[in-house]
Amino acid sequence: MCGDCGCEQANTKYFEEELNKATKTLHLERNILEKNDRIAHQNYHWFEDQRMLALNIMSSPGSGKTSLLEKTLAALNTRYKISVLVGDQQSENDANRLRAFSSAVKQIITHSSCHLDADMIKRELDTYVSPNADVLFIENVGNLVCPAAFDLGESAKIALLSTTEGEDKPIKYPVLFNKASAVLLTKTDLIPYLDWNEEICIQAIRKVNPTAKIIKVSTKTGKGMADWIDYVELLISMKQKQLGCVKHREVHFE
Amino acid sequence: MHELSIAQNIVEIATQELHQWKGAKVCSISIELGEFSGVVKECLEFAFPEACKGSVLEGCALEVYCVDTVLRCLKCFNVDKAIDSSLLCRKCGSVQVEMIHGKELKITNMEIE
């Protein structure tokens, strides 16, 4: 009994129940993609050490990534050492198409996964992708959503947008288009047959990515391909000159 | 959808953290999700219970806090929310903006008992 007021509450363990149920809040502040980002960072430094340009090519399925790479390999494979990794859920179809232009093409079959991640790329570095390559083209799984969330350690992301997809895809899928260093408008040979407005499309890209380089290409007619090839060559030369003219790997081999 | 991979990463990180708290049970996990993180709240909420099955997180709640995109203009230094994912300065129209919020994809807190 309480000595002051005589009630029955004295000495009751008021908070016992609460104490037993006590929860603790742990402040973590941890990046959910930390594992992928850590591996991507390793990949990035591997590419830097080799002075290798790694381009992550992303778009929806059927917007012309493989056709673009066919023409790109044809234009560059006599002057540069090129490796290609192609991601798809199933089939070697794309790799088989590209093998006509380069022997260093590997298909990565992702099965149920809708994107390539940094670990899938890491497994190929120094094994399949030769340290002597000047350029690595990574053709990501055709998808405008998932590949955007996973860094691979690439030097730059390239987004393709075909004229048949309409003008407003960049607004509908802003994350992927926002991260691209360059946006290629593909299938421009079809413009006369489509209700496609170039100005509206460029406005849509600019809205989510005000500074991306925009290149119009048609792999069918070849129009604009020179601009794309010039851009890739500029990126290669920038990468190779980054730490002096002598390539790191040449120093190693001497 | 890649939200399942994201959910699996959350389970992996939470399991690591729980090692220090023997016998503890996770009640809830809070995460911050930026508008430009590339992850959709509803898809993540759908995938999360599946990723938790058979793990120490089974039955725990997921609290998702969505973070709006906030831009700082590097020309006029205006700080403002981005409307409709438009990444231009709303004051001066400059393209030179820095995204100070919107890319968040992190576990902030974990409540254990």
Side-chain angles (χ1 to χ4, degrees), chain A residues 143-159:
Chain A
N143 183 333
L144 280 181
V145 187
C146 314
F150 293 81
D151 269 333
L152 306 178
E154 67 280 83
S155 322
K157 292 178 164 72
I158 308 291

Side-chain angles (χ1 to χ4, degrees), chain B residues 72-78 89 91-98:
Chain B
R72 180 195 289 135
C73 178
L74 300 176
K75 274 197 163 168
C76 74
F77 304 108
N78 182 50
C89 172
K91 197 172 167 196
C92 75
S94 168
V95 299
Q96 291 177 357
V97 292
E98 180 191 4

Side-chain angles (χ1 to χ4, degrees), chain B residues 47-83:
Chain B
F48 186 70
E50 279 305 312
C52 289
K53 272 188 187 160
S55 80
V56 287
L57 270 80
E58 195 159 344
C60 100
L62 180 71
E63 286 167 17
V64 182
Y65 297 92
C66 293
V67 182
D68 289 333
T69 308
V70 177
L71 306 173
R72 180 195 289 135
C73 178
L74 300 176
K75 274 197 163 168
C76 74
F77 304 108
N78 182 50
V79 174
D80 211 341
K81 260 200 235 176
I83 305 290

Side-chain angles (χ1 to χ4, degrees), chain A residues 22 47 55 134 163 174 201 252:
Chain A
F47 295 133
L55 296 180
D134 298 298
T163 53
C201 187
H252 278 314

Side-chain angles (χ1 to χ4, degrees), chain A residues 211-235:
Chain A
T211 54
K213 183 168 178 66
I214 299 175
I215 305 171
K216 284 170 65 183
V217 295
S218 163
T219 52
K220 200 163 183 77
T221 65
K223 199 176 172 194
M225 278 302 290
D227 296 335
W228 160 244
I229 297 296
D230 285 350
Y231 178 70
V232 176
E233 287 198 273
L234 176 72
L235 295 181

